[in-house]
Amino acid sequence: MKHVKQIVNPVLAGFYPDPSICRVDDDFYMVTSSFSFFPGVPVFHSRDLIHWEQLGHVLSRPEQLPTNMRKISGGIYAPTLRYHDGVFYMITTNVDYGGDIVCTATDPAGPWSNPVVVEHAPGIDPSLFFDDDGQCWMCGNDWSRGYAVIWVAPFDVKTLSLAGERTDLWRGAMHDAWAPEAPHIYRKDGWYYLMIAEGGTEFFHSVTIARSKNITGKYVGYRGNPILTHRHLGQMYPISNTGHADLVQLKDGSWYMVMLASRPYGGYHLNLGRETFITPVDFSGDWPVVNPGMGHVDFACPAPDLPEHVFPQEDPDDFRAMCWNYLGTPAPDGDPVKVESGNRLGIRCTRAPLIPSSPNEGVEITGRALGFYGRRQQHMVCQAQVKAVLPEGPGTSCGLVVLQHDFASLRLEMAWRDGQSVVRAVRAFRQGKEGEWVQQVLAEQVCGQEEVLTLCAQEQEWTLSVGERVVATANGGFMGSESCGGFVGAYLGMFASGNGEERQDYAYFEDFTYTGIR
Ligand code: 6LW
């Protein structure tokens, strides 16, 4: 019996939503959304769809990625990655600065060009399609008329601009479908296939498809829509929210689909955010059949018949690794973070507090990065630990945080009280969907100026410790994106702040470790 190699899902664990994939000969490349985190749009590479390495980021220079650090789910929405005639194209939307933008590169590892704004392109989720005659087309969704519709227009790859009128193509499979978005066009057997997401990126997410003999329509929906959803499996099914998919055809003619999905745990809580999954597709007939014989995404699926290619992996605990992000855009020299070595960094005590006390505090601080440096939480059972050194002087604070949103985080914060250094366990949350933002001190203890801080999660049960002492425990369910909204996933990171005063003092952090169990 021939051993069939397996792909283990998620192939990108943690906050890696809205995946887009393309193939160039024997190499697969994939990008995901990144919102207000910097660098933006991570780029991944595989040769077997099993093993993936990160090559870098498309938006790796501050001038490429203006963001507002107080709009964590703003910035970069869904990207599309395509290749044509020696050039890679990444098109996405910076919802806070410019709208739809395109970057190009001849090497997906970079350098990538500075973004070019696509003028007069409405909506989000732009995609590019190169037809057999070399004509490029751009599609996206448009909400400007009070309802959402998928559109297409000719695109000039020399000027990176729209080169003709937009044509409305489809409003989705369901009557009055909610949020038709994430369009991609494919050409097969003389047909143009338009695959989209609809139902919204949460529990009702789905993938639907239509086709036409002409790229500008008329598109007719597949009677078997949706071709993928998990909404009928219930909220406790271990893989949820499947949608926002992209297809890739292999050299042997077979097809695979990448998509976002979430893993609820400790109840319907999506703390890890939307992750990247993959599954085979039978597209040998008129319409694609996702994971034939099963019809939904699973934690393992048959890998393609390709030689396995394992990549050397970076040490993710090394502060220079590509998994580390700022929230907001740093200065060209990296301020407010200075990475001194793989296991030591300083974070300057900037004016902005880690967590604002209200939605309006600090929003004017744009074009800056928060005094924060973090990496995605990728496991339900995990631990983050770091040695922290609190800077001198009243008003400074620093620590270790698990952050989902301005109003959804748990932190261990070292600070000064009456000349004495103390450590607080603080739960920041919002009272209901629209309520006030609260920072609840769960416990406070005297501590030294240098301490080892630990955040440990057993699913939704968090333990916050200093050295060998447990400071507090808390349930993390409130940090699920289903509860606090937004499009990101939890980060584990270090922070420092001058709490309203811009200071040149630095907090220092050493020997960070992240241990992920499952
Ligand atoms: C993405 C769109 C979506 O652009 O969320 O809800 C946006 N659906 O497809 C951010 O992930």
Side-chain angles (χ1 to χ4, degrees):
M1 169 114 172
K2 186 167 185 269
H3 167 65
V4 177
K5 297 188 293 279
Q6 295 287 301
I7 296 172
V8 176
N9 278 317
V11 286
L12 301 178
F15 157 57
Y16 288 109
D18 308 320
S20 175
I21 188 170
C22 70
R23 179 179 63 81
V24 182
D25 297 328
D26 297 323
D27 294 288
F28 299 90
Y29 301 101
M30 187 155 64
V31 293
T32 67
S33 301
S34 52
F35 302 94
S36 291
F37 290 95
F38 177 91
V41 187
V43 183
F44 297 91
H45 169 237
S46 178
R47 293 175 66 88
D48 57 17
L49 297 184
I50 302 170
H51 308 289
W52 292 85
E53 64 171 342
Q54 184 169 353
L55 295 178
H57 294 83
V58 173
L59 305 175
S60 60
R61 306 182 300 273
E63 70 269 19
Q64 288 176 298
L65 181 50
T67 58
N68 181 334
M69 64 179 177
R70 289 296 182 209
K71 297 174 73 175
I72 195 168
S73 284
I76 301 298
Y77 275 36
T80 297
L81 181 67
R82 293 294 182 257
Y83 175 82
H84 180 74
D85 205 13
V87 178
F88 288 88
Y89 300 82
M90 190 287 294
I91 188 168
T92 187
T93 312
N94 185 328
V95 294
D96 294 321
Y97 294 90
D100 286 354
I101 55 174
V102 183
C103 297
T104 60
T106 53
D107 179 345
W112 285 83
S113 69
N114 282 344
V116 173
V117 173
V118 183
E119 303 293 348
H120 314 303
I124 57 173
D125 297 359
S127 182
L128 297 178
F129 166 71
F130 291 89
D131 207 343
D132 297 342
D133 61 3
Q135 172 64 49
C136 184
W137 296 81
M138 176 179 173
C139 55
N141 85 341
D142 176 11
W143 284 85
S144 62
R145 285 163 281 176
Y147 57 86
V149 63
I150 305 297
W151 57 268
V152 74
F155 188 79
D156 182 334
V157 293
K158 291 190 175 20
T159 60
L160 299 179
S161 61
L162 291 177
E165 292 300 308
R166 293 202 315 266
T167 305
D168 289 349
L169 296 187
W170 201 39
R171 293 183 60 185
M174 296 271 279
H175 180 67
D176 286 342
W178 176 250
E181 54 198 359
H184 293 304
I185 294 176
Y186 311 92
R187 185 110 168 93
K188 177 179 173 290
D189 301 336
W191 290 93
Y192 294 95
Y193 287 87
L194 171 63
M195 184 174 78
I196 73 168
E198 62 181 80
T201 196
E202 301 82 13
F203 178 70
F204 299 104
H205 215 188
S206 66
V207 181
T208 57
I209 195 165
R211 70 179 184 178
S212 167
K213 280 292 188 182
N214 303 298
I215 191 158
T216 52
K218 171 175 175 44
Y219 282 82
V220 176
Y222 173 37
R223 288 177 60 194
N225 278 325
I227 58 171
L228 175 67
T229 185
H230 279 207
R231 60 195 177 205
H232 60 296
L233 298 174
Q235 287 199 338
M236 289 327 294
Y237 192 75
I239 302 173
S240 183
N241 304 12
T242 49
H244 202 111
D246 199 3
L247 291 169
V248 63
Q249 187 173 25
L250 281 57
K251 264 185 168 177
D252 66 1
S254 64
W255 293 78
Y256 273 78
M257 176 189 277
V258 296
M259 82 292 295
L260 74 80
S262 295
R263 291 182 285 160
Y265 63 98
Y268 187 63
H269 297 300
L270 312 180
N271 297 57
L272 303 182
R274 299 168 300 158
E275 308 172 277
T276 291
F277 288 64
I278 194 168
T279 197
V281 174
D282 175 359
F283 204 172
S284 55
D286 282 344
W287 299 97
V289 178
V290 177
N291 206 7
M294 183 173 283
H296 59 259
V297 178
D298 203 349
F299 284 116
C301 67
D305 186 13
L306 295 170
E308 278 201 68
H309 191 113
V310 182
F311 300 99
Q313 293 296 318
E314 285 192 305
D315 173 3
D317 291 340
D318 184 316
F319 289 135
R320 298 160 299 193
M322 287 182 274
C323 63
W324 289 94
N325 291 145
Y326 291 79
L327 176 49
T329 305
D333 66 358
D335 182 70
V337 176
K338 58 179 179 181
V339 177
E340 294 189 347
S341 69
N343 73 333
R344 176 176 162 87
L345 70 77
I347 301 181
R348 188 171 61 79
C349 293
T350 59
R351 176 162 66 96
L354 170 73
I355 303 297
S357 55
S358 75
N360 303 317
E361 179 185 345
V363 291
E364 79 286 353
I365 312 175
T366 58
R368 300 266 314 267
L370 196 60
F372 168 85
Y373 197 63
R375 47 130 318 134
R376 293 160 175 83
Q377 179 188 346
Q378 296 181 287
H379 302 82
M380 304 168 191
V381 178
C382 60
Q383 174 179 289
Q385 186 174 82
V386 73
K387 182 168 76 175
V389 183
L390 178 67
E392 291 297 336
T396 61
S397 61
C398 74
L400 188 62
V401 62
V402 50
L403 175 72
Q404 175 75 243
H405 211 301
D406 279 343
F407 47 75
S409 66
L410 279 173
R411 70 180 188 267
L412 268 175
E413 177 172 88
M414 296 166 68
W416 294 96
R417 178 167 55 75
D418 304 331
Q420 171 64 54
S421 48
V422 297
V423 62
R424 305 183 185 107
V426 184
R427 175 176 174 266
F429 63 100
R430 178 177 60 182
Q431 299 274 17
K433 282 286 185 198
E434 302 297 331
E436 66 169 303
W437 295 8
V438 179
Q439 298 198 53
Q440 176 190 11
V441 177
L442 302 173
E444 181 177 286
Q445 296 177 5
V446 170
C447 72
Q449 213 175 324
E450 180 175 315
E451 293 285 3
V452 174
L453 308 178
T454 305
L455 296 182
C456 183
Q458 288 287 346
E459 295 206 359
Q460 295 300 354
E461 293 313 310
W462 286 87
T463 303
L464 297 84
S465 306
V466 176
E468 298 304 313
R469 286 178 292 152
V470 173
V471 178
T473 60
N475 184 285
F478 75 101
M479 293 186 286
S481 57
E482 82 299 329
S483 304
C484 61
F487 294 121
V488 302
Y491 267 78
L492 285 157
M494 296 147 287
F495 67 89
S497 175
N499 299 292
E501 182 190 347
E502 195 73 14
R503 302 173 65 120
Q504 296 311 313
D505 307 82
Y506 280 79
Y508 283 93
F509 299 90
E510 293 181 357
D511 303 326
F512 177 94
T513 59
Y514 172 87
T515 308
I517 306 299
R518 62 174 169 83

